Amino acid sequence: MELLDSRRLTGPNVLTDAPAAIIDVAAGGDEIEPLIEAWREQVRRILDAVGWTGAKLHERRVAGGVSLGFEAPEDALYAATDVNDWAYDAARRVLDGERSPPVAEAGRALTDTIARESNARLVALAAAARERELPVLMDDDALSVGYGCRSRTWPVDDLPVPDRVDWGALDDIPVGLVTGTNGKTTTVRLVAAMVRQAGLHVGLSSTDQIAVDDDVLDHGDYSGPGGARAVLRDPRVDVAVLETARGGLLRRGAGTTRADAAVITNIAADHLDDYGVTDLEALADIKWLVTRPLGDNGVAILNAEDPRLVERATGFGGEIAWFALDPAAPARAAEQAGAACFWYVEDGWVVREEHGEQFRIAEVAGIPVALGGAARHNVANSLAAAGLAHALGIPDSAIGVALTATASSANPGRCNLFLVSGVNVLVDFAHNPHGVTALRPVVEHYGTGQRILVLGQAGDRGDDTIRELAIAAWGFRPDRIVLKEMGHYARGRAPGEVAGILRDAFISAGATPANITHVDEELDAVRAAIELASPGDLVIALVHEDVDAVVRLVSELAAAS
């Protein structure tokens, strides 16, 4: 039995919709029930001692362990983790045959900790906002009421009393969430373009950046609650589009308690074995958390060709919009779970069907990110984006213009195709078997000559998962393979270790050892692959570590040639 993590949950999360403290414990199957029983006894003792008698307890059984937590005041979540740590330690002592430890002294110390963290003004202001049905965001430094251009933010140590707030100036704005295994960032970017085409100011958070219109506030992975707060607090924002990744949902919960619509693009194997998520069913449950902020009035835009989403949609209380490349799939899904509208491709057009009437939105051949239809996964992402934009109130005309006017270069690192001295260079972020397999139609379309593959993987994946990536990439039938190191994502792996696993998997699949090259840096690996290519060849550069630098390099080479 091992304590893996102890943390705060600030938004709707794996345990509850309320703020909470949670611990993750690795435990054998015969240890879990005794641990839960002992923890429940000890956490009740310490909760009573600190005055949190009515706190609701929760447990989440997962493969290889259990998560244990309780709902706690939003202004004392750090102290709540201390309370949970004490309860776990006390439970372990009991399980080891010791008597329950005295609680009085610990209760006094933790009560002092709670008092130091508590903020009565914060609680009062948040309560007053919720009485008026206004959304509230808080973190260590600030509290905000309302969203975007209808919001106001104050430092937590200088909060007004409710009577001094201009409540009439505060309100919601349309908020859309995007999650799924693959296609999230592309979908977010397309929706942002649609919002701007409608003449509105859009705030965007993603794995690449946070931005308001063309103003990039910061580069980096902002697909968690921090990125969401930055967008939702910006007074320029009319509409917010928030990429919501699995990691943030597990670590902190959703970044907002209220949203108008949410997309789930697909469910596929990636990041398994993190936080007890060991299979696709568990992963689907985590992704489904984005429907919690929708309540009964929001719209879930779901992939009709994903059976796990169809299954979960049967219990959803809001409206559902289905999207699929197969025009028959949305209707099949609707038979099981209902629908508000359908999005699909028919006769080469993106089509919305609503109340039995069809609306042609854009011709697939004219959508740049779809590469003339060869990038079928980006056709699906276009459908998802159109569905979300429609749910956020964006008119069809703006959706159609944005789809056909958004250049592939506006979606850097996602299915970008360049011509360098007669060599096609495909740059993409695909990093799991599902994403790699989705690129096969593009490779088949453009890979008429030799195919040179650039591939690496982060070190936090298991050996079998790394091998599965190689097998998926072998489906490209590459003639040459350039394996790259990913030093920033080694995650404890020795140099060459991941590349060695990939190399062995390729050789087992049929690759010739002499045709496999190993390069230390991602940028150098892409250069090496292009140097190996001749006019008519295709370089498949799957890049993850320094996407912007690779895109700049290939763009410069293309321009120079």
Side-chain angles (χ1 to χ4, degrees):
M1 192 181 302
E2 178 187 1
L3 178 63
L4 300 176
D5 194 30
S6 176
R7 63 189 184 281
R8 302 164 295 140
L9 297 173
T10 56
N13 55 74
V14 294
L15 296 183
T16 173
D17 285 341
I22 185 174
I23 55 173
D24 297 325
V25 183
D30 58 346
E31 296 176 313
I32 291 176
E33 293 306 322
L35 171 61
I36 292 173
E37 183 179 352
W39 172 80
R40 278 184 163 269
E41 178 184 351
Q42 299 303 323
V43 80
R44 275 297 175 206
R45 294 177 67 222
I46 193 64
L47 287 171
D48 288 346
V50 301
W52 290 350
T53 302
K56 295 180 181 179
L57 308 187
H58 299 275
E59 62 256 3
R60 171 177 171 252
R61 293 166 178 80
V62 298
V66 64
S67 297
L68 304 168
F70 58 87
E71 297 176 16
E74 56 198 346
D75 64 329
L77 289 177
Y78 286 105
T81 63
D82 293 338
V83 169
N84 212 7
D85 291 342
W86 186 94
Y88 171 73
D89 183 66
R92 283 296 307 270
R93 291 171 180 267
V94 170
L95 292 173
D96 288 340
E98 301 180 26
R99 297 179 62 182
S100 292
V103 75
E105 183 177 349
R108 286 191 293 270
L110 288 168
T111 298
D112 290 342
T113 302
I114 292 168
R116 287 193 296 271
E117 187 181 350
S118 296
N119 187 329
R121 279 204 170 190
L122 180 146
V123 173
L125 185 58
R130 290 170 182 141
E131 286 175 5
R132 293 165 172 82
E133 298 185 345
L134 294 172
V136 176
L137 294 172
M138 62 182 71
D139 54 28
D140 295 348
D141 301 316
L143 179 142
S144 56
V145 178
Y147 286 158
C149 61
R150 303 300 305 277
S151 71
R152 177 74 189 275
T153 302
W154 300 270
V156 292
D157 57 1
D158 190 23
L159 295 170
V161 295
D163 290 346
R164 301 297 299 273
V165 174
D166 181 7
W167 295 106
L170 305 176
D171 206 344
D172 291 341
I173 61 170
V175 177
L177 309 179
V178 179
T179 196
T181 300
N182 294 309
K184 298 184 295 295
T185 301
T186 297
T187 301
V188 164
R189 288 170 173 164
L190 288 173
V191 176
M194 296 167 185
V195 173
R196 294 190 66 186
Q197 184 63 40
L200 300 170
H201 297 291
V202 64
L204 171 155
S205 65
S206 70
T207 53
D208 289 341
Q209 62 185 27
I210 45 175
V212 177
D213 295 336
D214 287 330
D215 182 14
V216 177
L217 306 182
D218 201 1
H219 292 279
D221 187 350
Y222 284 97
S223 58
R229 284 194 299 270
V231 168
L232 293 171
R233 285 173 170 167
D234 196 296
R236 298 170 290 177
V237 173
D238 298 316
V239 178
V241 185
L242 311 173
E243 183 173 339
T244 307
R246 165 210 58 88
L249 288 168
L250 284 163
R251 282 190 292 270
R252 291 286 181 262
T256 172
T257 58
R258 193 208 62 75
D260 298 274
V263 162
I264 307 180
T265 58
N266 45 63
I267 306 296
D270 196 20
H271 294 287
L272 298 182
D273 298 326
D274 285 352
Y275 295 98
V277 178
T278 58
D279 58 31
L280 292 180
E281 291 298 327
L283 182 60
D285 288 340
I286 299 305
K287 302 291 187 182
W288 193 254
L289 286 175
V290 297
T291 65
R292 295 259 199 93
L294 302 180
D296 293 333
N297 299 316
V299 182
I301 299 94
L302 305 174
N303 187 339
E305 296 178 278
D306 193 308
R308 292 178 179 85
L309 296 179
V310 176
E311 178 184 357
R312 283 159 178 79
T314 58
F316 179 61
E319 293 188 346
I320 300 172
W322 295 106
F323 71 91
L325 295 174
D326 176 3
R332 290 196 300 268
E335 290 177 1
Q336 182 170 336
C341 67
F342 306 143
W343 292 85
Y344 51 83
V345 174
E346 186 173 78
D347 298 330
W349 282 80
V350 169
V351 174
R352 174 171 61 84
E353 181 180 332
E354 199 164 10
H355 305 302
E357 188 175 0
Q358 288 186 332
F359 303 87
R360 289 190 168 193
I361 307 301
E363 198 167 9
V364 171
I367 300 175
V369 299
L371 298 181
R376 289 178 56 79
H377 63 293
N378 271 348
V379 179
N381 292 333
S382 298
L383 292 168
L388 180 57
H390 178 71
L392 294 176
I394 304 304
D396 288 350
S397 57
I399 294 172
V401 170
L403 282 176
T404 55
T406 303
S408 178
S409 58
N411 190 31
R414 271 73 176 178
C415 208
N416 302 146
L417 190 68
F418 303 88
L419 188 64
V420 178
S421 300
V423 175
N424 281 314
V425 181
L426 177 66
V427 179
D428 195 83
F429 192 70
H431 58 282
N432 53 54
H434 180 270
V436 167
T437 302
L439 286 176
R440 286 187 190 177
V442 180
V443 171
E444 293 296 330
H445 187 80
Y446 291 98
T448 55
Q450 281 202 112
R451 299 172 183 178
I452 300 97
L453 171 68
V454 178
L455 184 68
Q457 182 57 291
D460 58 351
R461 272 65 166 185
D463 291 4
D464 288 343
T465 301
I466 294 171
R467 294 186 190 98
E468 289 167 4
L469 180 69
I471 298 306
W474 184 246
F476 294 147
R477 293 180 287 112
D479 299 282
R480 302 290 298 271
I481 299 168
V482 181
L483 299 177
K484 55 171 179 143
E485 290 293 310
M486 293 174 58
H488 292 301
Y489 297 96
R491 311 281 167 77
R493 297 269 192 177
E497 183 179 352
V498 172
I501 296 171
L502 291 170
R503 176 186 173 86
D504 291 345
F506 279 122
I507 292 172
S508 295
T512 302
N515 290 336
I516 302 176
T517 305
H518 180 214
V519 177
D520 286 340
E521 300 289 340
E522 184 170 77
L523 205 59
D524 292 338
V526 175
R527 284 196 188 97
I530 293 172
E531 290 170 1
L532 288 170
S534 301
D537 292 348
L538 172 66
V539 172
I540 310 159
L542 304 185
V543 298
H544 322 102
E545 195 169 36
D546 202 348
V547 176
D548 290 343
V550 169
V551 170
R552 281 196 302 272
L553 168 68
V554 181
S555 297
E556 291 168 1
L557 292 174
S561 67

